[in-house]
Amino acid sequence: MKKIAAAMLSLGLLAGSCTMAAAAEPEVYYNGQPLEMHQPAIIQEGRTLFALRDMAEQMQVAVQWDSATRLATVTYKDKTITLQPDLQRVLINNQEQEIDVGPQIIDDHIYLPVRYLFELLDADVFYRQYDDGKTVVSVNSKDSYVNYVTTTGRLTKAIRDIDSDHANNPVLMTHDGNIMELVVDGTTIHLYRTTQMLNRQEQKQETAIFHNQITDIIEENNQYYAVLDETQSARYVGTGYHPSGNAFLKEIYTPQGVFAFYGSEAALDTLALESQEGFGTKVVKGYLLDISGSSKPIRDRAYAFNTKKGYGFLTDGQFLLINNVPTEGYKVLACDTISGTIRDGKLFSYQDSFYAIGSDRTENGQNEIFVTSYTAQGMRANSYIAVSQLSDKDTYRYLDIKDAVQIGEKAYLLLQTDVNSYLACYDLAQHTFTAEKLDRPYKKFTQAKGSWQLYDCDEEYYYFLQVK
């Protein structure tokens, strides 16, 4: 947590205060540690009241007392909290707030409900009542270890407190819930780890000679590796990286131009993230389609593999299916143009069929999501079908597919209009389309805790939204 300046002033007050007997003392814990209260807790109208000074000291918050106006002022972020104990009133940025039990002077100290003030300061307050009458109050600040990674429903939030303000740094959440962010500063790679077991963030530094960017993160046997400087050329579609050492397999003639089909094998420079292995190499194998022979630049590219039917490629609305046929070698099974105006085309594989999904315009000019499927023989099985069902469909000016991922028989799409963001799902088995509006513009799908989640971040938090 970015610390608030501590400027504590004495809150001892003059005459005119009231006195109230203290109830049985609750046990109080702050960030998991016992809290020694300088003033006794007070129970009033079912509320537990603490002395303002005790609470403010724990949060390292600046507090000022004006003896002339008898006002206490708490400054926190963009909030100016004004306490008027004589009137039992609270104002935030000069706006009066509703409060059941207001601030008041008891034994020359300002008292306030513990939950009320701590929650204004971004802390969580939990009460536990035991059969023997004991009460335990647990207060956890924003940077408490229990708050580093918190999950509510499908949403996981974690504190983001690093020097870099780049929202596109590589980030991942490991199987055990730890979050890692990689930041490159010149020739130094910084690894920041946010965990549920620490009350601070760890930082690991490696000197990366000749490497100045991280292009991917891969997983192998529950170990995570950063891929260094191995960008795949824009001329290739498929699974693989740089073209050196690739084996040429076939030349393919298409309406878009002459493409070459390769077998790919690349040794990637990597950095182990959660072990002492340090720098090393990992071999990645796959197949690439060289689209540099296209008659015009290709904007959208997608790839999918079907264990029964082969390798599917989608390039600006053209679907190409290649398979290794016994006694015939690699053969083109389909080459079909879906649409010349399709945008953000994605390709999926399910059972013995391929599904091309993209954004395009209908005859009346409305942006929609379209689905086209292909049978085992490579023939188009159904027409170009619009499936969008978005609540703002009558008002949005554009519809983009920011990212996509397949989980089993479901194709998930991260959609963005000029109005809202959506998590959409096309069921490849049932041929149904659903979409839910999102509360924030997530950036992409990412692997988190062993499953696919939507990812976003701002200056203070990481956000992971469970997809399935």
Side-chain angles (χ1 to χ4, degrees):
M1 178 178 180
K2 299 176 178 66
K3 295 299 183 184
I4 305 162
M8 305 305 302
L9 298 180
S10 173
L11 296 182
L13 304 175
L14 301 177
S17 62
C18 63
T19 302
M20 184 172 298
E25 285 293 303
E27 294 182 13
V28 183
Y29 292 84
Y30 182 78
N31 289 344
Q33 299 298 318
L35 174 62
E36 181 179 352
M37 304 295 294
H38 301 293
Q39 303 299 323
I42 299 295
I43 307 298
Q44 186 184 104
E45 299 180 18
R47 302 286 192 274
T48 301
L49 280 62
F50 284 176
L52 174 61
R53 180 176 183 175
D54 287 342
M55 289 191 282
E57 284 180 345
Q58 306 310 313
M59 298 296 292
Q60 299 186 35
V61 174
V63 179
Q64 294 179 336
W65 168 253
D66 189 326
S67 58
T69 61
R70 295 180 62 82
L71 299 179
T73 302
V74 178
T75 303
Y76 176 74
K77 290 186 177 180
D78 59 349
K79 298 176 183 175
T80 299
I81 306 168
T82 303
L83 307 177
Q84 297 179 317
D86 294 336
L87 300 176
Q88 296 193 19
R89 294 203 311 170
V90 176
L91 289 83
I92 299 179
N93 296 337
N94 293 322
Q95 298 293 318
E96 185 172 354
Q97 307 296 304
E98 292 186 7
I99 182 170
D100 293 337
V101 177
Q104 52 198 288
I105 298 173
I106 302 174
D107 288 338
D108 290 342
H109 292 275
I110 294 180
Y111 274 77
L112 195 70
V114 57
R115 182 185 298 276
Y116 184 80
L117 182 61
F118 273 131
E119 289 185 348
L120 285 180
L121 305 180
D122 293 339
D124 296 320
V125 182
F126 303 94
Y127 288 86
R128 290 191 181 129
Q129 298 281 349
Y130 294 89
D131 293 339
D132 61 2
K134 180 177 69 174
T135 300
V136 175
V137 181
S138 298
V139 180
N140 299 309
S141 66
K142 178 186 171 185
D143 64 347
S144 165
Y145 74 94
V146 299
N147 283 335
Y148 260 90
V149 182
T150 59
T151 300
T152 304
R154 295 165 54 199
L155 179 65
T156 296
K157 291 175 61 178
I159 299 298
R160 184 174 187 261
D161 187 9
I162 66 171
D163 295 333
S164 173
D165 60 356
H166 295 293
N168 293 322
N169 291 331
V171 174
L172 65 92
M173 181 191 292
T174 61
H175 284 74
D176 56 7
N178 295 339
I179 296 173
M180 297 188 289
E181 179 168 357
L182 300 172
V183 180
V184 177
D185 178 14
T187 59
T188 302
I189 297 175
H190 303 266
L191 169 61
Y192 293 87
R193 299 177 71 251
T194 299
T195 80
Q196 293 175 303
M197 301 304 295
L198 301 174
N199 58 7
R200 60 183 175 85
Q201 286 188 315
E202 291 183 339
Q203 182 182 167
K204 173 183 177 182
Q205 295 185 10
E206 297 279 358
T207 300
I209 302 177
F210 303 126
H211 293 290
N212 58 11
Q213 74 178 58
I214 301 167
T215 57
D216 198 3
I217 298 176
I218 58 178
E219 178 185 357
E220 184 178 287
N221 299 325
N222 289 332
Q223 293 293 322
Y224 299 90
Y225 301 89
V227 178
L228 309 175
D229 268 349
E230 293 293 346
T231 56
Q232 177 176 295
S233 170
R235 64 187 283 181
Y236 294 97
V237 188
T239 300
Y241 290 85
H242 55 73
S244 61
N246 290 350
F248 172 79
L249 297 174
K250 188 177 183 64
E251 193 170 61
I252 301 168
Y253 293 84
T254 79
Q256 291 179 340
V258 181
F259 299 157
F261 184 55
Y262 292 91
S264 168
E265 182 173 326
L268 308 180
D269 292 332
T270 62
L271 170 64
L273 300 180
E274 288 200 306
S275 71
Q276 301 303 314
E277 293 180 35
F279 292 99
T281 59
K282 300 296 175 185
V283 176
V284 177
K285 297 182 179 181
Y287 290 88
L288 294 175
L289 186 69
D290 184 348
I291 59 175
S292 61
S294 174
S295 58
K296 62 179 182 179
I298 291 177
R299 302 163 303 169
D300 297 318
R301 304 169 297 157
Y303 167 79
F305 173 68
N306 188 295
T307 55
K308 296 180 180 179
K309 302 306 173 184
Y311 312 93
F313 302 90
L314 187 64
T315 56
D316 276 357
Q318 177 181 271
F319 174 72
L320 182 66
L321 177 60
I322 304 171
N323 200 8
N324 192 3
V325 179
T327 72
E328 298 183 56
Y330 287 95
K331 183 178 181 181
V332 177
L333 300 183
C335 183
D336 193 5
T337 299
I338 302 171
S339 168
T341 57
I342 191 173
R343 294 182 52 185
D344 303 328
K346 309 298 179 184
L347 194 61
F348 305 92
S349 170
Y350 178 66
Q351 293 183 341
D352 58 358
S353 297
F354 287 89
Y355 295 82
I357 303 179
S359 175
D360 209 341
R361 287 184 175 272
T362 61
E363 293 181 356
N364 63 7
Q366 177 69 46
N367 289 292
E368 294 283 3
I369 297 298
F370 286 81
V371 177
T372 300
S373 62
Y374 291 80
T375 67
Q377 292 74 33
M379 300 297 293
R380 196 184 328 176
N382 59 277
S383 61
Y384 199 42
I385 299 176
V387 296
S388 299
Q389 299 171 8
L390 307 182
S391 61
D392 61 352
K393 64 180 300 183
D394 294 328
T395 59
Y396 63 78
R397 296 190 300 272
Y398 65 84
L399 175 61
D400 295 335
I401 303 177
K402 295 178 63 176
D403 201 5
V405 67
Q406 181 174 346
I407 307 176
E409 73 279 6
K410 292 179 170 36
Y412 289 93
L413 310 171
L414 177 57
L415 305 182
Q416 179 70 56
T417 74
D418 57 314
V419 181
N420 289 309
S421 295
Y422 294 88
L423 172 61
C425 175
Y426 184 76
D427 191 311
L428 303 173
Q430 302 297 322
H431 307 292
T432 57
F433 180 92
T434 57
E436 64 170 295
K437 187 182 296 186
L438 300 172
D439 61 353
R440 61 184 308 109
Y442 286 90
K443 291 179 173 60
K444 62 182 180 179
F445 291 99
T446 187
Q447 281 278 357
K449 298 180 73 172
S451 65
W452 284 101
Q453 301 195 22
L454 285 173
Y455 166 72
D456 190 22
C457 74
D458 54 31
E459 291 184 354
E460 294 189 291
Y461 289 100
Y462 303 104
Y463 302 87
F464 295 88
L465 182 67
Q466 185 80 33
V467 172
K468 185 178 180 181

